[in-house]
Amino acid sequence: MKYFISAGTGIFLCILVLMSGCSKTSSKEKDNPVQGTITIAADESFKPLVHALTQAYEGIYPRAHFKVVYKPEQQAILELLKDSVRMVFATRQLSENEISMVKQQEGIQKAHHIALDGLALVVNGNNKDSLITMDEVKSIVEGKITDWSQLKGSSQKGPITLVFDNANSSNLNFVMSKFGLKSIQKLRITSAGSNANVINEIKKNPLSLGFIGVNWISDGHDALARELSKGIRVLGVSKNSNPASVKEYYQPFQNGLELKNYPLSRDVYIIIREGYAGLGGGMLNYITRDVGGLIIQKMGLIPTVVYPRELEIRTGQNL
């Protein structure tokens, strides 16, 4: 009898050990706001912003790691729907059909508006044209204006070549949505492969008009941004068809984005699939409740939640 009791006890203890081992393994694998590794995706137009945020977060929490996959926006969202990535940086929220797909997988999703960004229109530095109206941009992307000479006051002649980063990217999707385009088949258009390549293409071809995420060139303290900015010109865009003065034109920098005066401003969202307090939520809190908003601001964008600053005012009595 003692033999069977001890054997049964031994088996029971083995089970406890195995369960304890499994529990420890799962707890190690499960990330939290300060440690772990998750895969996230972002449209390539936000690469400088995402890189700055993830590097800063990993600098604060050395045991936290983000594997970032840069893909055109539609593909990045598809990875989220397949549950292949935990978090996505995008210019839109999920559609009702996409949310339904997540629910069918018994998953959850949350979208958070984190910043206001601008789609920059860039031309060769030798192109003296620096101003354009929204009506003119609309006519260009609709194929009604095909030559620089058709623009008001233009000093440039020759066929306009539109340069985007990728098909299905946030830049192209935004333009198509903004102007209600169904097709771009008839346009003189080039896919450069990345925002940096768009800029390089503009530098080589004075007849090109490029579309890039402004965070590639808006951080004046970044060496790459300064280098990319050389040899190009960022167009000022006006909402009005017949602007009365230069003051009615705005560029996609903070003074134009702040009150949405720049007509090609767009929202930036973080979409998270996370049912617990994990690393994705930690990044979100860092942006919305901590100093992450200051990084967004440094990148030349407008954070939706401004990091509060405490000011100490001294009067002559307490000096």
Side-chain angles (χ1 to χ4, degrees), residues 46 49-50 53 87-90 111-117 266-272 283-288 292-294 296-297 301-306:
F46 297 118
L49 173 65
V50 175
L53 287 171
M87 182 171 68
V88 165
F89 286 76
H112 303 268
H113 183 202
I114 63 165
L116 191 64
D117 171 54
R266 58 185 182 176
D267 297 317
V268 182
Y269 295 92
I270 282 182
I271 309 172
I272 302 177
M283 171 60 79
L284 179 64
N285 287 335
Y286 176 67
I287 293 173
T288 59
L294 292 178
I296 293 175
Q297 195 169 14
L301 307 186
I302 302 295
T304 54
V305 180
V306 180

PDB file of all heavy atoms in Angstrom, residues 46 49-50 53 87-90 111-117 266-272 283-288 292-294 296-297 301-306:
ATOM      1  N   PHE A  46       5.939  55.981 -43.264  1.00  0.00           N
ATOM      2  CA  PHE A  46       6.113  56.370 -41.866  1.00  0.00           C
ATOM      3  C   PHE A  46       7.364  55.769 -41.237  1.00  0.00           C
ATOM      4  O   PHE A  46       7.509  55.750 -40.017  1.00  0.00           O
ATOM      5  CB  PHE A  46       4.878  55.958 -41.051  1.00  0.00           C
ATOM      6  CG  PHE A  46       3.617  56.633 -41.485  1.00  0.00           C
ATOM      7  CD1 PHE A  46       2.556  55.900 -41.974  1.00  0.00           C
ATOM      8  CD2 PHE A  46       3.494  58.009 -41.431  1.00  0.00           C
ATOM      9  CE1 PHE A  46       1.392  56.513 -42.389  1.00  0.00           C
ATOM     10  CE2 PHE A  46       2.342  58.642 -41.845  1.00  0.00           C
ATOM     11  CZ  PHE A  46       1.283  57.890 -42.326  1.00  0.00           C
ATOM     12  N   LEU A  49       9.326  57.934 -38.632  1.00  0.00           N
ATOM     13  CA  LEU A  49       8.549  58.102 -37.404  1.00  0.00           C
ATOM     14  C   LEU A  49       8.550  56.825 -36.577  1.00  0.00           C
ATOM     15  O   LEU A  49       8.831  56.850 -35.366  1.00  0.00           O
ATOM     16  CB  LEU A  49       7.110  58.498 -37.750  1.00  0.00           C
ATOM     17  CG  LEU A  49       6.121  58.545 -36.577  1.00  0.00           C
ATOM     18  CD1 LEU A  49       6.504  59.632 -35.597  1.00  0.00           C
ATOM     19  CD2 LEU A  49       4.694  58.745 -37.082  1.00  0.00           C
ATOM     20  N   VAL A  50       8.247  55.697 -37.203  1.00  0.00           N
ATOM     21  CA  VAL A  50       8.178  54.421 -36.492  1.00  0.00           C
ATOM     22  C   VAL A  50       9.550  54.042 -35.935  1.00  0.00           C
ATOM     23  O   VAL A  50       9.670  53.557 -34.805  1.00  0.00           O
ATOM     24  CB  VAL A  50       7.645  53.313 -37.419  1.00  0.00           C
ATOM     25  CG1 VAL A  50       7.690  51.952 -36.725  1.00  0.00           C
ATOM     26  CG2 VAL A  50       6.220  53.632 -37.862  1.00  0.00           C
ATOM     27  N   LEU A  53      10.250  56.141 -32.795  1.00  0.00           N
ATOM     28  CA  LEU A  53       9.444  55.734 -31.637  1.00  0.00           C
ATOM     29  C   LEU A  53       9.931  54.411 -31.058  1.00  0.00           C
ATOM     30  O   LEU A  53      10.080  54.285 -29.833  1.00  0.00           O
ATOM     31  CB  LEU A  53       7.975  55.625 -32.047  1.00  0.00           C
ATOM     32  CG  LEU A  53       7.239  56.944 -32.295  1.00  0.00           C
ATOM     33  CD1 LEU A  53       5.868  56.678 -32.916  1.00  0.00           C
ATOM     34  CD2 LEU A  53       7.072  57.735 -30.993  1.00  0.00           C
ATOM     35  N   MET A  87       0.574  44.937 -34.311  1.00  0.00           N
ATOM     36  CA  MET A  87       0.223  46.348 -34.367  1.00  0.00           C
ATOM     37  C   MET A  87       0.579  46.917 -35.731  1.00  0.00           C
ATOM     38  O   MET A  87       1.535  46.479 -36.371  1.00  0.00           O
ATOM     39  CB  MET A  87       0.973  47.095 -33.255  1.00  0.00           C
ATOM     40  CG  MET A  87       0.702  48.571 -33.135  1.00  0.00           C
ATOM     41  SD  MET A  87       1.447  49.253 -31.621  1.00  0.00           S
ATOM     42  CE  MET A  87       3.199  49.109 -31.988  1.00  0.00           C
ATOM     43  N   VAL A  88      -0.201  47.909 -36.184  1.00  0.00           N
ATOM     44  CA  VAL A  88       0.038  48.525 -37.486  1.00  0.00           C
ATOM     45  C   VAL A  88      -0.045  50.047 -37.356  1.00  0.00           C
ATOM     46  O   VAL A  88      -0.915  50.572 -36.653  1.00  0.00           O
ATOM     47  CB  VAL A  88      -1.009  48.046 -38.525  1.00  0.00           C
ATOM     48  CG1 VAL A  88      -1.000  48.937 -39.757  1.00  0.00           C
ATOM     49  CG2 VAL A  88      -0.735  46.615 -38.951  1.00  0.00           C
ATOM     50  N   PHE A  89       0.868  50.747 -38.031  1.00  0.00           N
ATOM     51  CA  PHE A  89       0.779  52.195 -38.203  1.00  0.00           C
ATOM     52  C   PHE A  89       0.154  52.429 -39.576  1.00  0.00           C
ATOM     53  O   PHE A  89       0.682  51.955 -40.591  1.00  0.00           O
ATOM     54  CB  PHE A  89       2.157  52.843 -38.153  1.00  0.00           C
ATOM     55  CG  PHE A  89       2.760  52.929 -36.776  1.00  0.00           C
ATOM     56  CD1 PHE A  89       3.312  51.806 -36.169  1.00  0.00           C
ATOM     57  CD2 PHE A  89       2.778  54.128 -36.073  1.00  0.00           C
ATOM     58  CE1 PHE A  89       3.877  51.868 -34.907  1.00  0.00           C
ATOM     59  CE2 PHE A  89       3.338  54.214 -34.814  1.00  0.00           C
ATOM     60  CZ  PHE A  89       3.887  53.082 -34.219  1.00  0.00           C
ATOM     61  N   ALA A  90      -0.962  53.157 -39.634  1.00  0.00           N
ATOM     62  CA  ALA A  90      -1.673  53.340 -40.903  1.00  0.00           C
ATOM     63  C   ALA A  90      -2.379  54.690 -40.931  1.00  0.00           C
ATOM     64  O   ALA A  90      -2.470  55.386 -39.907  1.00  0.00           O
ATOM     65  CB  ALA A  90      -2.689  52.219 -41.107  1.00  0.00           C
ATOM     66  N   ALA A 111      -8.298  50.895 -32.461  1.00  0.00           N
ATOM     67  CA  ALA A 111      -7.621  51.906 -33.281  1.00  0.00           C
ATOM     68  C   ALA A 111      -7.492  53.193 -32.482  1.00  0.00           C
ATOM     69  O   ALA A 111      -8.435  53.616 -31.801  1.00  0.00           O
ATOM     70  CB  ALA A 111      -8.399  52.158 -34.568  1.00  0.00           C
ATOM     71  N   HIS A 112      -6.317  53.819 -32.557  1.00  0.00           N
ATOM     72  CA  HIS A 112      -6.057  55.038 -31.799  1.00  0.00           C
ATOM     73  C   HIS A 112      -5.432  56.080 -32.731  1.00  0.00           C
ATOM     74  O   HIS A 112      -4.431  55.806 -33.393  1.00  0.00           O
ATOM     75  CB  HIS A 112      -5.114  54.757 -30.625  1.00  0.00           C
ATOM     76  CG  HIS A 112      -5.617  53.698 -29.698  1.00  0.00           C
ATOM     77  ND1 HIS A 112      -6.372  53.969 -28.587  1.00  0.00           N
ATOM     78  CD2 HIS A 112      -5.479  52.347 -29.735  1.00  0.00           C
ATOM     79  CE1 HIS A 112      -6.672  52.834 -27.967  1.00  0.00           C
ATOM     80  NE2 HIS A 112      -6.138  51.845 -28.653  1.00  0.00           N
ATOM     81  N   HIS A 113      -6.026  57.261 -32.760  1.00  0.00           N
ATOM     82  CA  HIS A 113      -5.518  58.361 -33.564  1.00  0.00           C
ATOM     83  C   HIS A 113      -4.343  58.989 -32.821  1.00  0.00           C
ATOM     84  O   HIS A 113      -4.505  59.516 -31.724  1.00  0.00           O
ATOM     85  CB  HIS A 113      -6.639  59.380 -33.771  1.00  0.00           C
ATOM     86  CG  HIS A 113      -6.267  60.535 -34.640  1.00  0.00           C
ATOM     87  ND1 HIS A 113      -6.934  61.734 -34.598  1.00  0.00           N
ATOM     88  CD2 HIS A 113      -5.297  60.682 -35.585  1.00  0.00           C
ATOM     89  CE1 HIS A 113      -6.402  62.563 -35.480  1.00  0.00           C
ATOM     90  NE2 HIS A 113      -5.406  61.940 -36.085  1.00  0.00           N
ATOM     91  N   ILE A 114      -3.135  58.935 -33.406  1.00  0.00           N
ATOM     92  CA  ILE A 114      -1.960  59.399 -32.657  1.00  0.00           C
ATOM     93  C   ILE A 114      -1.326  60.684 -33.214  1.00  0.00           C
ATOM     94  O   ILE A 114      -0.604  61.374 -32.504  1.00  0.00           O
ATOM     95  CB  ILE A 114      -0.877  58.312 -32.590  1.00  0.00           C
ATOM     96  CG1 ILE A 114      -0.345  57.959 -33.982  1.00  0.00           C
ATOM     97  CG2 ILE A 114      -1.388  57.092 -31.859  1.00  0.00           C
ATOM     98  CD1 ILE A 114       0.948  57.183 -33.972  1.00  0.00           C
ATOM     99  N   ALA A 115      -1.582  60.996 -34.485  1.00  0.00           N
ATOM    100  CA  ALA A 115      -0.880  62.151 -35.067  1.00  0.00           C
ATOM    101  C   ALA A 115      -1.569  62.665 -36.321  1.00  0.00           C
ATOM    102  O   ALA A 115      -2.413  61.986 -36.916  1.00  0.00           O
ATOM    103  CB  ALA A 115       0.565  61.774 -35.401  1.00  0.00           C
ATOM    104  N   LEU A 116      -1.188  63.873 -36.694  1.00  0.00           N
ATOM    105  CA  LEU A 116      -1.612  64.477 -37.959  1.00  0.00           C
ATOM    106  C   LEU A 116      -0.373  64.632 -38.830  1.00  0.00           C
ATOM    107  O   LEU A 116       0.634  65.214 -38.418  1.00  0.00           O
ATOM    108  CB  LEU A 116      -2.257  65.838 -37.712  1.00  0.00           C
ATOM    109  CG  LEU A 116      -2.984  66.481 -38.899  1.00  0.00           C
ATOM    110  CD1 LEU A 116      -4.177  65.629 -39.325  1.00  0.00           C
ATOM    111  CD2 LEU A 116      -3.452  67.888 -38.542  1.00  0.00           C
ATOM    112  N   ASP A 117      -0.460  64.082 -40.027  1.00  0.00           N
ATOM    113  CA  ASP A 117       0.666  64.023 -40.954  1.00  0.00           C
ATOM    114  C   ASP A 117       0.294  64.778 -42.232  1.00  0.00           C
ATOM    115  O   ASP A 117      -0.862  65.126 -42.449  1.00  0.00           O
ATOM    116  CB  ASP A 117       0.960  62.549 -41.262  1.00  0.00           C
ATOM    117  CG  ASP A 117       1.967  62.354 -42.378  1.00  0.00           C
ATOM    118  OD1 ASP A 117       3.069  62.921 -42.277  1.00  0.00           O
ATOM    119  OD2 ASP A 117       1.650  61.638 -43.345  1.00  0.00           O
ATOM    120  N   ARG A 266      -3.343  64.351 -43.259  1.00  0.00           N
ATOM    121  CA  ARG A 266      -3.991  63.056 -43.059  1.00  0.00           C
ATOM    122  C   ARG A 266      -3.726  62.557 -41.646  1.00  0.00           C
ATOM    123  O   ARG A 266      -2.753  62.960 -40.999  1.00  0.00           O
ATOM    124  CB  ARG A 266      -3.481  62.043 -44.082  1.00  0.00           C
ATOM    125  CG  ARG A 266      -1.977  61.837 -44.056  1.00  0.00           C
ATOM    126  CD  ARG A 266      -1.505  60.924 -45.163  1.00  0.00           C
ATOM    127  NE  ARG A 266      -0.065  60.695 -45.082  1.00  0.00           N
ATOM    128  CZ  ARG A 266       0.607  59.879 -45.885  1.00  0.00           C
ATOM    129  NH1 ARG A 266      -0.038  59.220 -46.827  1.00  0.00           N
ATOM    130  NH2 ARG A 266       1.908  59.724 -45.753  1.00  0.00           N
ATOM    131  N   ASP A 267      -4.582  61.681 -41.171  1.00  0.00           N
ATOM    132  CA  ASP A 267      -4.467  61.145 -39.817  1.00  0.00           C
ATOM    133  C   ASP A 267      -3.556  59.923 -39.793  1.00  0.00           C
ATOM    134  O   ASP A 267      -3.472  59.181 -40.770  1.00  0.00           O
ATOM    135  CB  ASP A 267      -5.848  60.764 -39.282  1.00  0.00           C
ATOM    136  CG  ASP A 267      -6.780  61.962 -39.167  1.00  0.00           C
ATOM    137  OD1 ASP A 267      -6.307  63.018 -38.706  1.00  0.00           O
ATOM    138  OD2 ASP A 267      -7.956  61.846 -39.546  1.00  0.00           O
ATOM    139  N   VAL A 268      -2.906  59.735 -38.659  1.00  0.00           N
ATOM    140  CA  VAL A 268      -2.075  58.549 -38.447  1.00  0.00           C
ATOM    141  C   VAL A 268      -2.677  57.768 -37.273  1.00  0.00           C
ATOM    142  O   VAL A 268      -2.934  58.338 -36.211  1.00  0.00           O
ATOM    143  CB  VAL A 268      -0.610  58.907 -38.120  1.00  0.00           C
ATOM    144  CG1 VAL A 268       0.223  57.640 -37.967  1.00  0.00           C
ATOM    145  CG2 VAL A 268      -0.024  59.797 -39.204  1.00  0.00           C
ATOM    146  N   TYR A 269      -2.911  56.482 -37.503  1.00  0.00           N
ATOM    147  CA  TYR A 269      -3.503  55.620 -36.483  1.00  0.00           C
ATOM    148  C   TYR A 269      -2.552  54.487 -36.108  1.00  0.00           C
ATOM    149  O   TYR A 269      -1.740  54.045 -36.921  1.00  0.00           O
ATOM    150  CB  TYR A 269      -4.798  54.974 -36.995  1.00  0.00           C
ATOM    151  CG  TYR A 269      -5.909  55.947 -37.287  1.00  0.00           C
ATOM    152  CD1 TYR A 269      -6.056  56.482 -38.573  1.00  0.00           C
ATOM    153  CD2 TYR A 269      -6.817  56.336 -36.302  1.00  0.00           C
ATOM    154  CE1 TYR A 269      -7.081  57.372 -38.858  1.00  0.00           C
ATOM    155  CE2 TYR A 269      -7.836  57.226 -36.585  1.00  0.00           C
ATOM    156  CZ  TYR A 269      -7.968  57.740 -37.863  1.00  0.00           C
ATOM    157  OH  TYR A 269      -8.981  58.621 -38.140  1.00  0.00           O
ATOM    158  N   ILE A 270      -2.687  54.033 -34.863  1.00  0.00           N
ATOM    159  CA  ILE A 270      -2.125  52.758 -34.445  1.00  0.00           C
ATOM    160  C   ILE A 270      -3.298  51.808 -34.273  1.00  0.00           C
ATOM    161  O   ILE A 270      -4.262  52.130 -33.567  1.00  0.00           O
ATOM    162  CB  ILE A 270      -1.350  52.875 -33.121  1.00  0.00           C
ATOM    163  CG1 ILE A 270       0.035  53.495 -33.344  1.00  0.00           C
ATOM    164  CG2 ILE A 270      -1.169  51.503 -32.487  1.00  0.00           C
ATOM    165  CD1 ILE A 270       0.865  53.593 -32.084  1.00  0.00           C
ATOM    166  N   ILE A 271      -3.239  50.655 -34.937  1.00  0.00           N
ATOM    167  CA  ILE A 271      -4.269  49.633 -34.786  1.00  0.00           C
ATOM    168  C   ILE A 271      -3.621  48.438 -34.087  1.00  0.00           C
ATOM    169  O   ILE A 271      -2.596  47.927 -34.551  1.00  0.00           O
ATOM    170  CB  ILE A 271      -4.844  49.200 -36.140  1.00  0.00           C
ATOM    171  CG1 ILE A 271      -5.278  50.420 -36.959  1.00  0.00           C
ATOM    172  CG2 ILE A 271      -6.039  48.265 -35.928  1.00  0.00           C
ATOM    173  CD1 ILE A 271      -5.688  50.093 -38.379  1.00  0.00           C
ATOM    174  N   ILE A 272      -4.205  48.020 -32.967  1.00  0.00           N
ATOM    175  CA  ILE A 272      -3.606  46.975 -32.137  1.00  0.00           C
ATOM    176  C   ILE A 272      -4.548  45.781 -32.022  1.00  0.00           C
ATOM    177  O   ILE A 272      -5.751  45.942 -31.847  1.00  0.00           O
ATOM    178  CB  ILE A 272      -3.290  47.497 -30.717  1.00  0.00           C
ATOM    179  CG1 ILE A 272      -2.338  48.695 -30.777  1.00  0.00           C
ATOM    180  CG2 ILE A 272      -2.677  46.402 -29.854  1.00  0.00           C
ATOM    181  CD1 ILE A 272      -2.050  49.297 -29.416  1.00  0.00           C
ATOM    182  N   MET A 283       3.518  50.708 -25.926  1.00  0.00           N
ATOM    183  CA  MET A 283       3.885  51.718 -26.919  1.00  0.00           C
ATOM    184  C   MET A 283       2.800  52.784 -27.043  1.00  0.00           C
ATOM    185  O   MET A 283       3.096  53.986 -27.135  1.00  0.00           O
ATOM    186  CB  MET A 283       4.131  51.056 -28.269  1.00  0.00           C
ATOM    187  CG  MET A 283       4.308  52.026 -29.439  1.00  0.00           C
ATOM    188  SD  MET A 283       5.703  53.186 -29.245  1.00  0.00           S
ATOM    189  CE  MET A 283       7.075  52.115 -29.705  1.00  0.00           C
ATOM    190  N   LEU A 284       1.546  52.349 -27.041  1.00  0.00           N
ATOM    191  CA  LEU A 284       0.449  53.310 -27.152  1.00  0.00           C
ATOM    192  C   LEU A 284       0.440  54.277 -25.973  1.00  0.00           C
ATOM    193  O   LEU A 284       0.299  55.495 -26.153  1.00  0.00           O
ATOM    194  CB  LEU A 284      -0.888  52.573 -27.234  1.00  0.00           C
ATOM    195  CG  LEU A 284      -2.109  53.485 -27.318  1.00  0.00           C
ATOM    196  CD1 LEU A 284      -2.099  54.294 -28.604  1.00  0.00           C
ATOM    197  CD2 LEU A 284      -3.389  52.668 -27.213  1.00  0.00           C
ATOM    198  N   ASN A 285       0.614  53.755 -24.757  1.00  0.00           N
ATOM    199  CA  ASN A 285       0.663  54.618 -23.578  1.00  0.00           C
ATOM    200  C   ASN A 285       1.852  55.564 -23.640  1.00  0.00           C
ATOM    201  O   ASN A 285       1.772  56.716 -23.201  1.00  0.00           O
ATOM    202  CB  ASN A 285       0.733  53.773 -22.301  1.00  0.00           C
ATOM    203  CG  ASN A 285      -0.591  53.115 -21.982  1.00  0.00           C
ATOM    204  OD1 ASN A 285      -1.649  53.598 -22.381  1.00  0.00           O
ATOM    205  ND2 ASN A 285      -0.541  51.995 -21.269  1.00  0.00           N
ATOM    206  N   TYR A 286       2.954  55.078 -24.177  1.00  0.00           N
ATOM    207  CA  TYR A 286       4.149  55.908 -24.322  1.00  0.00           C
ATOM    208  C   TYR A 286       3.860  57.109 -25.226  1.00  0.00           C
ATOM    209  O   TYR A 286       4.345  58.217 -24.988  1.00  0.00           O
ATOM    210  CB  TYR A 286       5.274  55.061 -24.905  1.00  0.00           C
ATOM    211  CG  TYR A 286       6.559  55.801 -25.194  1.00  0.00           C
ATOM    212  CD1 TYR A 286       7.338  56.316 -24.159  1.00  0.00           C
ATOM    213  CD2 TYR A 286       6.993  55.982 -26.511  1.00  0.00           C
ATOM    214  CE1 TYR A 286       8.522  56.986 -24.428  1.00  0.00           C
ATOM    215  CE2 TYR A 286       8.178  56.650 -26.774  1.00  0.00           C
ATOM    216  CZ  TYR A 286       8.938  57.142 -25.739  1.00  0.00           C
ATOM    217  OH  TYR A 286      10.107  57.814 -26.004  1.00  0.00           O
ATOM    218  N   ILE A 287       3.055  56.887 -26.250  1.00  0.00           N
ATOM    219  CA  ILE A 287       2.734  57.957 -27.197  1.00  0.00           C
ATOM    220  C   ILE A 287       1.671  58.903 -26.648  1.00  0.00           C
ATOM    221  O   ILE A 287       1.787  60.123 -26.770  1.00  0.00           O
ATOM    222  CB  ILE A 287       2.264  57.362 -28.536  1.00  0.00           C
ATOM    223  CG1 ILE A 287       3.424  56.636 -29.226  1.00  0.00           C
ATOM    224  CG2 ILE A 287       1.695  58.441 -29.456  1.00  0.00           C
ATOM    225  CD1 ILE A 287       3.020  55.871 -30.466  1.00  0.00           C
ATOM    226  N   THR A 288       0.631  58.339 -26.027  1.00  0.00           N
ATOM    227  CA  THR A 288      -0.510  59.160 -25.622  1.00  0.00           C
ATOM    228  C   THR A 288      -0.417  59.711 -24.202  1.00  0.00           C
ATOM    229  O   THR A 288      -1.077  60.695 -23.881  1.00  0.00           O
ATOM    230  CB  THR A 288      -1.810  58.349 -25.745  1.00  0.00           C
ATOM    231  OG1 THR A 288      -1.724  57.170 -24.921  1.00  0.00           O
ATOM    232  CG2 THR A 288      -2.050  57.935 -27.188  1.00  0.00           C
ATOM    233  N   GLY A 292       6.305  60.098 -25.763  1.00  0.00           N
ATOM    234  CA  GLY A 292       6.280  59.719 -27.170  1.00  0.00           C
ATOM    235  C   GLY A 292       5.710  60.809 -28.060  1.00  0.00           C
ATOM    236  O   GLY A 292       6.102  60.970 -29.220  1.00  0.00           O
ATOM    237  N   GLY A 293       4.782  61.597 -27.501  1.00  0.00           N
ATOM    238  CA  GLY A 293       4.208  62.715 -28.260  1.00  0.00           C
ATOM    239  C   GLY A 293       5.249  63.746 -28.640  1.00  0.00           C
ATOM    240  O   GLY A 293       5.156  64.394 -29.693  1.00  0.00           O
ATOM    241  N   LEU A 294       6.274  63.891 -27.794  1.00  0.00           N
ATOM    242  CA  LEU A 294       7.348  64.839 -28.095  1.00  0.00           C
ATOM    243  C   LEU A 294       8.182  64.364 -29.286  1.00  0.00           C
ATOM    244  O   LEU A 294       8.682  65.173 -30.065  1.00  0.00           O
ATOM    245  CB  LEU A 294       8.251  65.024 -26.868  1.00  0.00           C
ATOM    246  CG  LEU A 294       7.624  65.738 -25.667  1.00  0.00           C
ATOM    247  CD1 LEU A 294       8.613  65.812 -24.519  1.00  0.00           C
ATOM    248  CD2 LEU A 294       7.146  67.136 -26.053  1.00  0.00           C
ATOM    249  N   ILE A 296       6.953  62.564 -31.797  1.00  0.00           N
ATOM    250  CA  ILE A 296       6.111  62.866 -32.964  1.00  0.00           C
ATOM    251  C   ILE A 296       6.265  64.326 -33.343  1.00  0.00           C
ATOM    252  O   ILE A 296       6.390  64.671 -34.524  1.00  0.00           O
ATOM    253  CB  ILE A 296       4.638  62.532 -32.655  1.00  0.00           C
ATOM    254  CG1 ILE A 296       4.466  61.028 -32.475  1.00  0.00           C
ATOM    255  CG2 ILE A 296       3.718  63.043 -33.762  1.00  0.00           C
ATOM    256  CD1 ILE A 296       3.068  60.601 -32.057  1.00  0.00           C
ATOM    257  N   GLN A 297       6.275  65.176 -32.339  1.00  0.00           N
ATOM    258  CA  GLN A 297       6.428  66.613 -32.583  1.00  0.00           C
ATOM    259  C   GLN A 297       7.801  66.925 -33.178  1.00  0.00           C
ATOM    260  O   GLN A 297       7.926  67.743 -34.094  1.00  0.00           O
ATOM    261  CB  GLN A 297       6.229  67.372 -31.266  1.00  0.00           C
ATOM    262  CG  GLN A 297       6.001  68.868 -31.433  1.00  0.00           C
ATOM    263  CD  GLN A 297       5.545  69.512 -30.146  1.00  0.00           C
ATOM    264  OE1 GLN A 297       5.639  68.928 -29.069  1.00  0.00           O
ATOM    265  NE2 GLN A 297       5.045  70.721 -30.232  1.00  0.00           N
ATOM    266  N   LEU A 301       5.523  66.341 -37.126  1.00  0.00           N
ATOM    267  CA  LEU A 301       4.092  66.070 -37.192  1.00  0.00           C
ATOM    268  C   LEU A 301       3.388  66.687 -35.985  1.00  0.00           C
ATOM    269  O   LEU A 301       4.024  67.232 -35.091  1.00  0.00           O
ATOM    270  CB  LEU A 301       3.843  64.563 -37.251  1.00  0.00           C
ATOM    271  CG  LEU A 301       4.589  63.783 -38.337  1.00  0.00           C
ATOM    272  CD1 LEU A 301       4.135  62.334 -38.355  1.00  0.00           C
ATOM    273  CD2 LEU A 301       4.413  64.416 -39.696  1.00  0.00           C
ATOM    274  N   ILE A 302       2.060  66.570 -35.954  1.00  0.00           N
ATOM    275  CA  ILE A 302       1.283  67.104 -34.845  1.00  0.00           C
ATOM    276  C   ILE A 302       0.731  65.943 -34.026  1.00  0.00           C
ATOM    277  O   ILE A 302      -0.097  65.171 -34.519  1.00  0.00           O
ATOM    278  CB  ILE A 302       0.108  67.971 -35.346  1.00  0.00           C
ATOM    279  CG1 ILE A 302       0.615  69.119 -36.218  1.00  0.00           C
ATOM    280  CG2 ILE A 302      -0.700  68.512 -34.170  1.00  0.00           C
ATOM    281  CD1 ILE A 302       1.464  70.141 -35.499  1.00  0.00           C
ATOM    282  N   PRO A 303       1.192  65.765 -32.777  1.00  0.00           N
ATOM    283  CA  PRO A 303       0.633  64.687 -31.949  1.00  0.00           C
ATOM    284  C   PRO A 303      -0.790  65.024 -31.525  1.00  0.00           C
ATOM    285  O   PRO A 303      -1.113  66.192 -31.287  1.00  0.00           O
ATOM    286  CB  PRO A 303       1.583  64.654 -30.744  1.00  0.00           C
ATOM    287  CG  PRO A 303       2.155  66.036 -30.663  1.00  0.00           C
ATOM    288  CD  PRO A 303       2.235  66.538 -32.074  1.00  0.00           C
ATOM    289  N   THR A 304      -1.653  64.022 -31.440  1.00  0.00           N
ATOM    290  CA  THR A 304      -3.034  64.276 -31.023  1.00  0.00           C
ATOM    291  C   THR A 304      -3.115  64.585 -29.535  1.00  0.00           C
ATOM    292  O   THR A 304      -4.021  65.279 -29.087  1.00  0.00           O
ATOM    293  CB  THR A 304      -3.928  63.065 -31.336  1.00  0.00           C
ATOM    294  OG1 THR A 304      -3.360  61.894 -30.756  1.00  0.00           O
ATOM    295  CG2 THR A 304      -4.055  62.863 -32.836  1.00  0.00           C
ATOM    296  N   VAL A 305      -2.177  64.034 -28.768  1.00  0.00           N
ATOM    297  CA  VAL A 305      -2.112  64.323 -27.339  1.00  0.00           C
ATOM    298  C   VAL A 305      -0.773  64.996 -27.062  1.00  0.00           C
ATOM    299  O   VAL A 305       0.281  64.385 -27.198  1.00  0.00           O
ATOM    300  CB  VAL A 305      -2.235  63.043 -26.484  1.00  0.00           C
ATOM    301  CG1 VAL A 305      -2.150  63.391 -25.001  1.00  0.00           C
ATOM    302  CG2 VAL A 305      -3.538  62.321 -26.790  1.00  0.00           C
ATOM    303  N   VAL A 306      -0.832  66.256 -26.714  1.00  0.00           N
ATOM    304  CA  VAL A 306       0.394  67.018 -26.466  1.00  0.00           C
ATOM    305  C   VAL A 306       0.907  66.706 -25.066  1.00  0.00           C
ATOM    306  O   VAL A 306       0.152  66.739 -24.093  1.00  0.00           O
ATOM    307  CB  VAL A 306       0.138  68.533 -26.620  1.00  0.00           C
ATOM    308  CG1 VAL A 306       1.416  69.326 -26.356  1.00  0.00           C
ATOM    309  CG2 VAL A 306      -0.401  68.843 -28.009  1.00  0.00           C
TER     310      VAL A 306
END
